[in-house]
Amino acid sequence: MTTERARGPGWSDVVAALRRHRAALVILTLLAGAVTAVYAFVRPQYYAANLLLAPMVPSRTAALGGGLTAALASTFSSGLQPSPAFISRLLTSQSVLAGVALAPAGDGDSLPVGRRLKRRLAADALDEKVVQALRKRVSVNLDRETGIVGVSVQARDSALVRRIAERLVEEVTKSFRIASQEQARGLREAQMVRVDSLGQQLAVAEEDQRRFLEENRGGVAPFTRMAVEAGRLEAQVSLARSLYEQAMMDRESAAAKVLEETVSVVVVDRLPRQLPAVPRRTTLKTALAMFLTFVIAATWILLRTPGLLSSGAAPERDPDEG
């Protein structure tokens, strides 16, 4: 009986095809490595400004020690808090980056920072393009264990990099202060309404107590229903007075926060006098370029070899065929 088996190309065929074109493979691989190495050396040197920032989160120990009411009052009256997550988000916000990118570069140069970073921008380019040029040079990372926020700025001009990093810290502090003061104004208005309402409640409670005392000038016998009513009125006045005084304190606190110059972050690790250069990683880039070039060239050679990667193959007869 006759049987036929399709015999596909084996590894020996693949190796043979690559050996036939080994000169082209070697030349292309070395050429790619040489071009990558030259580009890495010719490419302008970049410098990095790395800062570590610690958000100034106030302690609430005193408020917690005053009980649940004091803790809740402190939470609502303390306003916006510079948490690490909030500061890291603020560093990449549009307002902070625009405040840095659209400001003059300094040192007698009136050109905005964003245009200094990307001089190819058209004269009529939108401000968003200018801000985007800075956004690409700034990276922010948050260490959730310690709450430290890391900021890195990279550019060709080391002096410009230093100014950008310092201005980012200034803009974050400024933006947080503005947001905190705006919130404090809202809190102050809310506390004023609260004070008026609690003042009216206190006046009503005091009036009820005054009427009760006027109706019972002769005194109240202990352990009677009138004595219980007197205690209830006294407690009502005491609670209303306590809430009113707390509201007055919260209102004054909110009013003071409007004028407060809040410090949101502290620089933990300041910039060195000479900024470090960003590693070129020439060896890694060259090796990666050579490997990718070899893989692409080898794949192209195998695809161009007739019948090597085709699914159909010449049939092979069974040796027992008669």
Side-chain angles (χ1 to χ4, degrees):
M1 183 177 179
T2 302
T3 59
E4 293 184 352
R5 297 192 304 271
R7 183 178 62 87
W11 285 106
S12 59
D13 299 323
V14 175
V15 173
L18 295 179
R19 289 185 64 182
R20 286 195 300 269
H21 300 85
R22 59 181 178 272
L25 282 173
V26 172
I27 292 175
L28 288 175
T29 303
L30 293 178
L31 182 61
V35 171
T36 304
V38 170
Y39 174 77
F41 277 111
V42 174
R43 186 170 178 267
Q45 180 65 62
Y46 279 73
Y47 296 90
N50 302 313
L51 288 174
L52 293 180
L53 308 179
M56 295 290 292
V57 181
S59 174
R60 297 183 181 179
T61 304
L64 293 175
L68 180 60
T69 303
L72 291 175
S74 174
T75 300
F76 287 107
S77 63
S78 57
L80 196 64
Q81 300 299 323
S83 65
F86 180 78
I87 293 299
S88 61
R89 180 65 183 86
L90 194 60
L91 280 165
T92 57
S93 65
Q94 182 72 14
S95 60
V96 170
L97 293 178
V100 178
L102 301 178
D107 288 343
D109 189 357
S110 60
L111 197 66
V113 170
R115 292 187 178 275
R116 277 283 300 273
L117 294 173
K118 193 174 183 180
R119 294 182 179 273
R120 293 177 296 175
L121 285 174
D124 57 348
L126 299 176
D127 290 345
E128 176 62 28
K129 296 290 185 180
V130 180
V131 176
Q132 188 66 22
L134 174 62
R135 189 185 300 273
K136 294 180 179 179
R137 300 297 180 187
V138 177
S139 62
V140 179
N141 61 84
L142 171 61
D143 187 345
R144 298 188 180 278
E145 293 184 1
T146 61
I148 298 297
V149 179
V151 184
S152 179
V153 184
Q154 296 184 6
R156 301 176 184 178
D157 189 342
S158 60
L160 180 61
V161 169
R162 184 185 298 274
R163 286 196 294 271
I164 291 175
E166 294 173 349
R167 289 182 184 178
L168 279 174
V169 177
E170 295 174 359
E171 282 296 326
V172 165
T173 302
K174 176 182 175 182
S175 297
F176 180 82
R177 182 171 61 249
I178 293 174
S180 179
Q181 290 176 347
E182 288 295 329
Q183 188 189 51
R185 291 188 182 94
L187 287 174
R188 181 181 61 181
E189 294 176 0
Q191 293 296 348
M192 291 177 65
V193 175
R194 180 179 171 220
V195 167
D196 292 340
S197 176
L198 291 176
Q200 295 176 6
Q201 295 179 22
L202 177 60
V204 171
E206 290 176 341
E207 179 63 20
D208 291 343
Q209 187 183 39
R210 185 193 66 78
R211 290 177 181 177
F212 178 83
L213 295 176
E214 185 177 358
E215 294 173 357
N216 298 273
R217 293 180 178 179
V220 178
F223 309 109
T224 61
R225 183 173 300 178
M226 300 300 294
V228 173
E229 179 65 14
R232 186 188 68 81
L233 292 175
E234 179 65 27
Q236 182 177 340
V237 171
S238 178
L239 177 60
R241 182 176 291 108
S242 176
L243 292 176
Y244 178 75
E245 292 175 352
Q246 181 64 50
M248 290 285 291
M249 294 174 59
D250 292 342
R251 185 188 65 178
E252 296 302 322
S253 176
K257 200 170 185 61
V258 174
L259 305 176
E260 183 181 6
E261 296 292 330
T262 307
V263 178
S264 57
V265 295
V266 173
V267 179
V268 177
D269 187 12
R270 297 190 176 276
L271 297 175
R273 292 187 177 182
Q274 184 174 1
L275 297 180
V278 179
R280 297 179 183 269
R281 305 185 187 278
T282 305
T283 304
L284 177 62
K285 294 177 181 177
T286 302
L288 183 60
M290 294 176 67
F291 173 76
L292 292 177
T293 302
F294 178 84
V295 172
I296 295 173
T299 303
W300 184 81
I301 290 173
L302 295 178
L303 291 175
R304 298 285 294 179
T305 302
L308 185 60
L309 298 182
S310 61
S311 58
E316 180 181 333
R317 290 184 176 273
D318 194 323
D320 296 334
E321 180 184 357

